[in-house]
Amino acid sequence: MSAGPAGTGQAGAGPVADPPGGGAAVAVWCIGVAVYFVAVIFRTSLGVAGLEAADRFHVGASALATFSLLQLLVYAGMQVPVGLMVDRLGTKKVLTLGAVLFTAGQLGFALSPSYETALAARALLGCGDAMTFISVLRLGTRWFPARRGPLTAQLAGLVGMAGNLVSTLVLAPVLHGVGWTAAFAGSAAAGLAVLVPLVLFLRDHPEGHGPPQAAPAGGAGFVRRQIRESWSEPGTRLGLWVHFTTQFPAMVFLLLWGMPFLIEAQGLTRSTAGGLLTLVVASNMVLGLVYGQIIARRQSSRIPLALGTVALTALLWGAVLAHPGGHAPMWLLVTLCVVLGGCGPASMIGFDFARPANPAERQGTASGITNMGGFIASMTTLLTVGVLLDATGDDYRIAFSTVFVLQALGVTRILRLRRSALAREATRGRAAAPAQAPVPASAPVPAPAQALARASGPETEPRRHSTA
């Protein structure tokens, strides 16, 4: 998902030394990750307040779904522009703008007197949220050696899951105890808390390790060319459909419909339902490490892991919805939540197809295209579930059947694209192999070449494409 390995500039620029990493890099990266952490808390805060939002604004299920739908629509639509903004303006400016926007959105949501103003606040929040993740990934590539890229991306994802936990474990009981305005306005203070160190201490890159040259002047033609060339790659399209098919069941469950489903359809208490949402997040964090290790060791496991996660998710959803009497046993609900935890790690596989398919100067655009997949599926499902609940008198069995339709669509596209994408990826790997031929140990190396080798660092080694 990053915009290319650290130490590479624009097309045609020569390699430069890897960033040194170290304590300064960790400190700067932690500031960026803290901003992303708060953004995820704000993004998922509605998931634990769905019933309260319906009462506060006097709306039904479809209108309630519009909150999350609009937020995700803005988020998905901003992905490619944000990638271009990071390339042009730098990480600090984009991340600062994002923090200001999502803090204003959360505060506006707390004080909104009507449904319409609350919608505008969620749209503003989604716009700011969209600027965080790609910025944090780029920050990792600018401050750490290239070999640390997969680790920093994986840790950023885990921090995002921790933001989900805070929404469930902290914001939910606070909302129940102090009320709507105090809970959401109080949480907005976290945005101000991360904005201060961001403005004062964050830098785009270490001294002496900036991009070799500025991004080329562009315009509408440049943007269209970037998008067209990225989309022409089968790996980019395969990445989008993997992300589309794997991410949305857990996203829909955590973002809005999980809590109402567990309370209204399954008859659980609010605390028990909150515990199950927490289980989804905890499972996501654990399985993220497992998936990352499997794929790092065996690239051929990417498609089986993605399709296996989709199949298992569909099986458990079907078992819960079809259980006689309407109330599934607790062991089945627990199993479903554990399996939903694998949806996030499986969606990261999509970026592992898009990354090797595009050169460094298109990494941001390709990542943005891929990242749109899961959010498009989530928006579609959020809206459809809300409409069907209103139309069927809150029949969750019919409403949640939407999940199977989108999964079937995504699987057909994955099966259609996988052969051409993998074949093209293998061809690129073979073409790059001769350039990486090792120098015999006995051969003398001129002093200038030795200096260049020391400066280049990991850039002289074959790159392995691994998922976060």
Side-chain angles (χ1 to χ4, degrees), residues 65-300:
T66 305
F67 278 123
S68 297
L69 176 67
L70 179 61
Q71 181 180 337
L72 291 182
L73 178 63
V74 173
Y75 185 101
M78 286 291 294
Q79 289 306 294
V80 174
V82 165
L84 295 169
M85 287 171 63
V86 170
D87 289 337
R88 302 290 180 83
L89 303 177
T91 304
K92 181 174 182 176
K93 291 180 180 178
V94 176
L95 206 54
T96 301
L97 177 60
V100 171
L101 291 178
F102 67 62
T103 301
Q106 186 77 343
L107 183 60
F109 194 58
L111 304 177
S112 294
S114 66
Y115 175 70
E116 291 74 18
T117 55
L119 275 179
R122 295 306 286 187
L124 191 63
L125 193 157
C127 185
D129 181 20
M131 298 181 180
T132 58
F133 191 58
I134 293 178
S135 297
V136 170
L137 292 178
R138 175 62 65 89
L139 201 63
T141 64
R142 292 298 187 211
W143 279 88
F144 292 95
R147 65 182 183 276
R148 300 297 185 192
L151 177 61
T152 57
Q154 185 181 55
L155 291 177
L158 292 179
V159 170
M161 287 300 101
N164 269 308
L165 282 177
V166 170
S167 293
T168 304
L169 298 178
V170 178
L171 186 59
V174 169
L175 178 66
H176 184 70
V178 303
W180 179 279
T181 301
F184 279 95
S187 66
L192 297 177
V194 298
L195 186 60
V196 173
L198 168 59
V199 172
L200 295 179
F201 303 114
L202 190 135
R203 289 182 292 147
D204 287 345
H205 50 76
E207 188 69 27
H209 291 274
Q213 62 185 49
F222 171 77
V223 172
R224 286 195 298 267
R225 185 171 64 254
Q226 287 286 93
I227 296 174
R228 182 178 64 250
E229 292 178 355
S230 296
W231 183 253
S232 68
E233 292 290 344
T236 304
R237 301 197 301 275
L238 177 60
L240 179 144
W241 284 106
V242 168
H243 200 268
F244 176 100
T245 313
T246 54
Q247 187 201 47
F248 78 95
M251 175 76 70
V252 169
F253 196 80
L254 289 171
L255 200 59
L256 183 60
W257 292 122
M259 185 73 79
F261 169 72
L262 294 173
I263 294 175
E264 296 179 347
Q266 297 299 315
L268 302 181
T269 64
R270 179 176 293 275
S271 60
T272 303
L276 289 176
L277 294 182
T278 303
L279 179 61
V280 176
V281 177
S283 173
N284 187 304
M285 298 174 73
V286 173
L287 291 178
L289 295 174
V290 174
Y291 278 43
Q293 291 297 322
I294 292 175
I295 295 173
R297 296 177 181 180
R298 189 170 183 177
Q299 289 281 291
S300 60

Side-chain angles (χ1 to χ4, degrees), residues 288-347:
L289 295 174
V290 174
Y291 278 43
Q293 291 297 322
I294 292 175
I295 295 173
R297 296 177 181 180
R298 189 170 183 177
Q299 289 281 291
S300 60
S301 64
R302 291 175 295 176
I303 289 291
L305 270 179
L307 294 180
T309 302
V310 173
L312 199 55
T313 303
L315 177 64
L316 267 298
W317 262 123
V320 168
L321 297 178
H323 195 275
H327 288 187
M330 181 56 67
W331 67 265
L332 186 56
L333 293 175
V334 168
T335 306
L336 170 65
C337 290
V338 171
V339 170
L340 286 176
C343 293
S347 71

